[in-house]
């Protein structure tokens, strides 16, 4: 319940910030440290909700709703190892495993949600701007045709194994079975000029894992677990925030993400972004924050 | 009974070499049959029981040395294989049949090879009599005197034996009782499908940063690989030669109500197969069919250097994971396969 209230408060604040952002059109990149970003135009689009939806005790397809997102700027490429390591060098981010290649144009992987958040806070302080993970909605708005609809199309009273097998088959069909990293840009651009979406590096989102119950009044959130976040890529999945290698953290059956990486949104005011900004402004003076 | 053919020289003769018929033994007046092998996890067409008398079953195994990718990172080992697959194909005969194998070592290979059949009697399982250099072939005939699933592997001697085995050179022969499989009470057992799961342990050296080093030539990899092997800690434990070879698009298939025989081999190291969400209805843990199978098994044990067989009838649809239940090996080193089972959900069972 506490989580739900927190989420609602956050959502309200976020909506307000979107309005504010829409008023002031996203600006171009600043500073050489800042990752390159592209603008995603404000749009209304059909959004398949993230989360687990249960109806009469059975898992069903998530509802699809029309959602509007205000324009925002998002990283053109996934965060590279070199970019992440600048944060490590300043002791603001945990070091990557030694075995990870240090080639400059490879995406940074083996990153947890916590690592991603540490980087966002650091680059925010560095650039004097707010950097944050996208919400799942934003990710899908940016990914466009690279986002995979995870509905099975099966009836709600379908045999539970049918849904399971359909999901397994769909994820297997998409699977590249290739874990080796390609230099950024290696999986090409989508129609909005974002590169490497749904390649072999999955991307963390800010969206928490939510379990909904569908009743006569529609879908009601039952439990919200922010220790597990929505991760997007070849298919949408849900991963515990401290996991860096999803293959080891994944379940016994299914195709776990090959690699976990990061793509941040620049601007937008989340609570954590706001706190980061306040922290930046009052750095050293407001110790209790 | 052995014949060794020396190399036919020159590439122009290579085609001829392959067309030389398997050495025909005049001393046995038995019908002959040419077997067509298929790559694992599938198994050649065969009868589960036969009323016919013993025969000579002819097989050709061609040794293929080639780089093999063993995981999704693209780690490549200089593989050595029987017929191009890891494991080699499963051969099937009936007890009392004669197995006549033509072992071909094409001139394009670089190493000497041979074959040791655990099902054979004498001659170091045939290894002593089948040593073939590149460009040579040998014909070995042995009598299948005991029923069961048995390993075959390359055994060129000394440290080269494990090097060849952990580079891919092992497979299985299934010798079925002439009247088929039976339960502990002597009642006949049948299967609708058979899958052959060959488990391999690989020992890939790492560079100073801890990344796997890829090699294409065995001569290049061997000194480093022997160092890794001596620590007895594999870098990969996989089914069908590669992490994920039996998952996703390549997951094994079955339907509810079907009985599946799963043959599991490990030529070098112990393993403990477990079907997550299922059981072993009848398990010949040591793989030898003259012994009564154990029933209702949870996890069974495959001794290194042996094959075992488990019979299971799927009762519930869904996805099953078939793993070695050292879960570190299953999840981190690769030893996981999936079964996709279709059918109607049984509410009574779950």
């Amino acid at each position: 319940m506490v989580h739900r209230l927190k989420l609602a408060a956050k959502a309200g604040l976020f909506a307000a910030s979107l309005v504010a952002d829409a008023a002031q059109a996203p600006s171009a990149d600043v500073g050489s440290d800042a990752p390159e970003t592209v603008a995603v135009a404000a749009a209304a689009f059909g959004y398949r909700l993230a989360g687990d939806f249960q109806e009469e005790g059975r898992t069903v397809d998530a509802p699809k709703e029309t959602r509007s997102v205000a324009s925002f700027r998002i990283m053109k490429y996934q965060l590279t190892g070199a970019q992440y390591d600048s944060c490590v060098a300043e002791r603001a981010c945990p070091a990557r495993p030694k075995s990870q290649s240090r080639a400059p144009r490879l995406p940074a992987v083996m990153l947890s949600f916590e690592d991603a958040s540490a980087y966002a806070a650091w680059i925010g302080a560095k650039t004097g701007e707010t950097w944050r993970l996208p919400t799942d909605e934003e990710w899908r708005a940016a990914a466009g045709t690279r986002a995979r609809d995870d509905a099975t199309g099966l009836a709600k009273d379908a045999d539970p194994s049918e849904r399971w097998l359909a999901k397994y088959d769909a994820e297997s069909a998409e699977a590249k079975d290739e874990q080796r990293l390609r230099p950024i840009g290696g999986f090409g651009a989508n129609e909005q000029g974002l590169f490497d979406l749904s390649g072999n590096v999955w991307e963390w989102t800010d969206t928490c894992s939510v379990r909904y119950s569908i009743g006569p009044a529609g879908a009601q959130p039952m439990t919200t677990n922010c220790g597990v976040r929505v991760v997007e890529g070849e298919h949408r999945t849900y991963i515990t925030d401290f996991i860096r290698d999803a293959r080891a953290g994944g379940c016994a059956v299914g195709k776990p993400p090959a690699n976990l990486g990061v793509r941040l949104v620049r601007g937008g005011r989340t609570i954590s972004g706001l706190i980061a900004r306040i922290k930046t402004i009052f750095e050293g003076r407001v110790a209790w924050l | 009974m052995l014949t060794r053919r020396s190399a036919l020289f020159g590439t122009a003769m290579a085609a001829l070499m392959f067309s030389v018929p398997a050495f025909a033994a005049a001393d046995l007046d038995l019908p002959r049959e040419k077997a067509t092998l298929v790559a694992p996890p599938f198994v050649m067409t065969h009868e589960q029981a036969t009323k016919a008398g013993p025969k000579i079953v002819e097989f050709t195994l061609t040794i293929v040395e080639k780089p093999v990718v063993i995981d999704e990172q693209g780690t490549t080992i200089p593989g050595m294989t029987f017929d191009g697959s890891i494991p080699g194909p499963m051969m099937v005969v009936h007890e009392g049949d004669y197995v006549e194998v033509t072992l071909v070592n094409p001139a394009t290979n670089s190493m000497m090879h041979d074959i040791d059949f655990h099902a054979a009697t004498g001659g170091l399982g045939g290894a002593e009599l089948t040593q073939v250099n590149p460009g040579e072939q040998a014909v070995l005939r042995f009598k299948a005197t005991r029923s069961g699933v048995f390993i075959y592997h390359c055994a060129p001697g000394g440290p080269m034996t494990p090097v060849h085995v952990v580079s891919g050179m092992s497979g299985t022969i299934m010798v079925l009782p002439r009247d088929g499989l039976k339960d502990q009470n002597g009642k006949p057992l049948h299967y609708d499908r058979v899958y052959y799961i060959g488990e391999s342990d690989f020992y890939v050296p790492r560079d100073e940063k801890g990344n796997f080093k890829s090699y294409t030539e065995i001569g290049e990899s061997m000194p480093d690989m022997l160092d890794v092997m001596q620590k007895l800690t594999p870098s990969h434990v996989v089914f069908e030669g590669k992490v994920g070879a039996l998952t996703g698009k390549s997951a094994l298939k079955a339907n509810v109500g079907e009985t599946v025989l799963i043959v599991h081999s490990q030529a070098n190291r112990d393993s403990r197969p477990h079907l997550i969400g299922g059981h072993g209805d009848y398990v010949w843990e040591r793989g030898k069919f003259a012994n009564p199978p154990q029933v209702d098994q949870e996890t069974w044990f495959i001794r290194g250097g042996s094959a075992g067989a488990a019979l299971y009838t799927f009762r519930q649809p869904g996805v099953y994971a078939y793993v070695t239940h050292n879960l570190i090996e299953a999840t981190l080193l690769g030893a996981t396969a999936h079964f996709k089972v279709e059918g109607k959900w049984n509410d009574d069972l779950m």
Side-chain angles (χ1 to χ4, degrees):
Chain A
M1 189 51 86
V2 173
H3 277 310
R4 228 167 102 191
L5 289 172
K6 208 165 116 187
L7 193 79
K10 196 166 165 177
L13 202 93
F14 180 55
S17 79
L18 284 176
V19 174
D21 270 11
Q24 27 172 290
S27 56
D29 281 341
V30 287
S32 58
D33 281 335
E36 194 179 345
T37 59
V38 292
V40 176
F45 71 109
Y47 174 66
R48 178 80 57 192
L49 270 64
D52 179 58
F53 289 80
Q54 302 259 335
E55 189 168 354
E56 290 161 16
R58 284 188 166 184
T59 296
V60 294
D61 284 349
K64 192 171 184 177
E65 294 175 358
T66 300
R67 294 286 173 96
S68 299
V69 292
S71 63
F72 61 96
R73 295 195 72 88
I74 188 165
M75 282 165 57
K76 185 174 177 180
Y77 303 103
Q78 289 161 341
L79 185 69
T80 65
Q83 286 167 336
Y84 182 81
D85 287 347
S86 304
C87 175
V88 176
E90 297 194 6
R91 299 178 185 278
C93 290
R96 294 187 294 146
K98 278 198 178 63
S99 59
Q100 290 293 302
S101 169
R102 262 51 185 175
R105 289 183 61 78
L106 288 181
V109 297
M110 291 283 277
L111 296 185
S112 66
F113 175 85
E114 292 165 355
D115 298 337
S117 305
Y119 179 82
W122 174 80
I123 192 72
K126 203 83 184 157
T127 58
E129 286 199 310
T130 303
W131 292 78
R132 59 175 176 82
L133 286 168
T135 63
D136 186 57
E137 262 175 68
E138 287 172 325
W139 191 92
R140 296 211 147 217
T145 54
R146 294 282 184 107
R148 196 178 73 81
D149 187 357
D150 44 18
T152 61
L154 291 167
K156 64 178 184 183
D157 57 352
D159 189 313
S161 69
E162 253 186 281
R163 181 170 300 282
W164 190 13
L165 287 164
K167 186 170 180 289
Y168 183 84
D169 282 343
E171 292 178 7
S172 300
E174 299 279 324
K176 288 169 193 70
D177 295 332
E178 176 193 321
Q179 199 198 348
R180 183 179 280 180
L181 298 174
R182 297 186 190 178
I184 53 166
F187 286 96
N190 76 348
E191 63 281 6
Q192 310 210 67
L194 278 82
F195 284 80
D196 306 330
L197 290 153
S198 304
N200 63 5
V201 178
W202 268 249
E203 301 173 12
W204 287 100
T205 77
D206 190 46
T207 300
C208 298
S209 169
V210 184
R211 210 179 274 281
Y212 296 87
S213 176
I214 298 180
Q220 299 296 324
M222 302 302 288
T223 54
T224 297
N225 180 1
C226 290
V228 174
R229 302 282 170 152
V230 176
V231 170
E232 283 281 9
E234 236 172 35
H235 59 262
R236 182 158 54 186
T237 188
Y238 305 84
I239 297 177
T240 303
D241 56 9
F242 60 81
I243 295 287
R244 292 188 169 117
D245 180 356
R247 292 171 311 135
C251 62
V253 285
K255 277 281 174 187
N259 296 291
L260 290 176
V262 171
R263 183 190 307 265
L264 297 177
V265 167
R266 207 189 79 197
R269 309 282 182 265
T270 61
I271 288 178
S272 59
L274 217 58
I275 293 171
R277 275 179 71 83
I278 293 166
K279 267 187 174 170
T280 310
I281 294 163
F282 294 101
E283 200 156 48
R285 278 185 280 167
V286 194
W288 50 269
L289 267 176
Chain B
M1 176 65 212
L2 161 101
T3 301
R4 171 130 170 230
R5 289 183 179 275
S6 53
L8 296 169
F9 301 104
T11 49
M13 300 296 280
L16 184 65
M17 185 182 90
F18 290 100
S19 69
V20 170
F23 185 73
D27 57 332
L28 270 180
D29 188 21
L30 290 175
R32 289 182 161 268
E33 191 180 289
K34 220 180 253 304
T36 305
L37 292 168
V38 298
F42 304 106
V43 177
M44 60 179 271
T45 309
H46 62 272
E47 286 183 297
Q48 293 183 35
T50 179
K51 290 200 163 69
K55 59 193 171 200
I56 301 167
V57 188
E58 300 170 6
F59 296 91
T60 301
L61 283 174
T62 304
I63 295 153
V64 183
E65 296 174 3
K66 61 173 186 184
V68 175
V69 176
I70 58 166
D71 62 24
E72 290 170 358
Q73 291 164 274
T75 304
T76 305
I77 62 163
M80 296 189 260
T81 71
F82 290 105
D83 269 8
S85 63
I86 301 176
M90 187 156 102
M91 304 155 74
V92 185
V93 298
H94 291 92
E95 189 176 340
D97 285 347
Y98 293 81
V99 179
E100 191 175 276
V101 185
T102 303
L103 185 67
V104 180
N105 190 358
T108 46
N109 283 346
S110 63
M111 318 269 297
M112 188 272 276
H113 299 281
D114 64 5
I115 192 163
D116 167 1
F117 283 96
H118 289 189
T121 306
L124 300 180
E128 187 59 21
L129 308 172
T130 52
Q131 292 175 356
V132 279
N133 286 306
E136 295 179 335
Q137 64 180 44
V139 179
L140 173 76
R141 195 182 75 207
F142 69 89
K143 188 175 185 178
T145 55
R146 295 153 203 268
S147 68
V149 282
F150 297 85
I151 295 277
Y152 65 78
H153 64 92
C154 189
M160 291 309 274
T161 298
V163 165
H164 282 233
V165 169
V166 301
S167 297
M169 292 192 84
S170 73
T172 295
I173 181 167
M174 179 160 74
V175 181
L176 285 164
R178 296 204 83 77
D179 53 353
L181 300 177
K182 284 181 250 11
D183 72 6
Q184 68 281 15
N185 302 315
K187 195 174 135 275
L189 293 170
H190 301 279
Y191 44 89
D192 300 302
R193 296 171 189 253
V194 51
Y195 288 118
Y196 169 35
I197 297 179
E199 181 180 319
S200 305
D201 41 329
F202 294 128
Y203 301 82
V204 182
R206 294 172 187 266
D207 64 18
E208 61 287 349
K209 285 180 178 166
N211 289 308
F212 292 128
K213 287 164 84 172
S214 282
Y215 303 86
T216 49
E217 298 292 330
I218 188 76
E220 199 189 314
S221 73
M222 212 167 63
D224 291 348
M225 187 169 136
L226 280 165
D227 282 346
V228 182
M229 285 165 62
Q230 288 198 34
K231 295 189 176 75
L232 302 175
T233 304
S235 58
H236 298 73
V237 177
V238 301
F239 300 145
E240 256 65 339
K242 189 185 175 195
V243 177
L246 299 178
T247 65
K249 291 185 272 278
S250 308
L252 304 166
K253 290 183 185 134
N255 294 311
V256 167
E258 279 185 335
T259 300
V260 180
L261 182 69
I262 307 166
V263 177
H264 189 119
S265 71
Q266 225 306 5
N268 193 60
R269 197 168 168 275
D270 297 342
S271 180
R272 35 194 71 68
H274 174 86
L275 180 64
I276 303 179
H279 301 95
D281 288 339
Y282 299 94
V283 179
W284 294 268
E285 189 177 74
R286 302 186 193 197
K288 307 306 169 275
F289 298 134
N291 302 290
Q294 293 173 294
V295 299
D296 299 339
Q297 296 297 291
E298 168 190 16
T299 298
W300 41 103
F301 190 65
I302 305 296
R303 290 145 189 82
S306 77
L311 196 73
Y312 183 61
T313 304
F314 283 97
R315 293 148 172 92
Q316 192 78 297
V319 184
Y320 292 73
Y322 177 92
V323 300
T324 180
H325 213 287
N326 175 324
L327 296 168
I328 300 163
E329 293 178 11
T331 60
L332 299 184
L333 300 190
T336 297
H338 291 159
F339 275 92
K340 287 193 329 183
V341 180
E342 292 186 9
K344 202 175 157 1
W345 186 264
N346 182 333
D347 285 326
D348 184 44
L349 286 171
M350 186 174 277

